Amino acid sequence: MGGSYGSTLRYKSVERLKGIGKHSLIGASGEMSDFQELLRYLDDLILYDNMWDDGNSFGPKEVHNYLTRVMYNRRNKFNPLWNSLVLGGVKNGQKYLGTVNMIGVHYQDNHVATGFGNHLAVPILRDEWREDMSFEEGVKLLEKCMRVLLYRDRSAVNKLQIAKITESGVAISPPYSLKTYWEFAAFKNPTAGAQGSW
């Protein structure tokens, strides 16, 4: 939930999750103004879809495909939207989770991450995620991943939100803070045993 102004951590309550239509949920990392622009595109898309009034509505797969085209199109115009996006949803009992980055690279998987999470959280998810996890177990695993990321990024914030999407709709939790522990010896004296003149 952090928002930086250059290298200064300026905002600590930036919400980066939003429900899209009836069946989808989007999360974003990167530039907030570009994410707001994307949300305007998606509002127009959902409005257009609703105006047909044909009893059908876009599911997460259609929204994800739309986002990949938008990101790739903007990249080709050398005016990319500086975001990495995660799109999840449920429609007709089918679960969907995909990601797309600022140049249109996209994929679908059982677990995805953006930014630093691709390097540090995805290995934890690959090792510990199971298809039959309860919601509470999933939240604990997510908090473990976020704690690992927090300890390894000096400009990270320990506030987060959890979102859940089911056939009945989207639920986004209020922001809350992760409990952290900073009394590890390596945190107290990070240069102990370091080689070099500094």
Side-chain angles (χ1 to χ4, degrees):
M1 296 193 70
S4 297
Y5 183 73
S7 60
T8 303
L9 185 57
R10 177 65 181 87
Y11 302 102
K12 297 179 181 173
S13 296
V14 178
E15 297 190 13
R16 297 174 179 269
L17 298 171
K18 186 165 188 318
I20 304 297
K22 298 176 184 173
H23 309 287
S24 305
L25 174 72
I26 191 171
S29 63
E31 187 74 33
M32 271 313 292
S33 59
D34 286 351
F35 182 48
Q36 290 167 342
E37 179 74 5
L38 270 170
L39 291 177
R40 278 194 285 274
Y41 293 168
L42 290 169
D43 286 344
D44 289 345
L45 178 75
I46 298 303
L47 178 64
Y48 177 77
D49 184 41
N50 289 339
M51 285 191 309
W52 282 97
D53 197 23
D54 59 358
N56 203 355
S57 57
F58 285 139
K61 185 174 184 178
E62 292 82 19
V63 176
H64 187 227
N65 286 335
Y66 172 78
L67 289 171
T68 61
R69 298 298 92 214
V70 168
M71 299 303 261
Y72 186 69
N73 180 26
R74 290 289 298 257
R75 170 246 179 151
N76 285 343
K77 291 181 176 180
F78 294 93
N79 185 21
L81 295 165
W82 287 74
N83 296 105
S84 291
L85 308 168
V86 172
L87 193 288
V90 181
K91 184 177 180 186
N92 300 329
Q94 298 291 317
K95 294 179 272 186
Y96 188 91
L97 182 63
T99 184
V100 58
N101 71 9
M102 63 183 280
I103 61 172
V105 175
H106 62 282
Y107 64 92
Q108 179 186 350
D109 205 344
N110 291 320
H111 37 74
V112 297
T114 65
F116 211 27
N118 277 322
H119 307 288
L120 297 179
V122 168
I124 296 170
L125 292 167
R126 284 181 181 151
D127 191 43
E128 298 185 26
W129 178 86
R130 321 182 304 278
E131 179 74 39
D132 62 344
M133 290 181 94
S134 69
F135 178 70
E136 291 74 23
E137 290 173 320
V139 168
K140 282 189 178 177
L141 179 57
L142 177 64
E143 288 178 346
K144 177 180 181 177
C145 292
M146 296 304 287
R147 198 171 283 113
V148 166
L149 292 165
L150 173 68
Y151 286 147
R152 286 164 176 80
D153 184 355
R154 69 171 177 83
S155 59
V157 178
N158 69 331
K159 282 177 76 175
L160 63 116
Q161 288 180 286
I162 302 291
K164 179 180 182 181
I165 185 161
T166 62
E167 289 277 8
S168 57
V170 175
I172 301 174
S173 76
Y176 69 96
S177 297
L178 278 178
K179 289 183 174 46
T180 55
Y181 180 75
W182 295 98
E183 299 303 312
F184 294 111
F187 289 150
K188 289 183 177 181
N189 188 5
T191 58
Q195 302 279 328
S197 59
W198 38 273

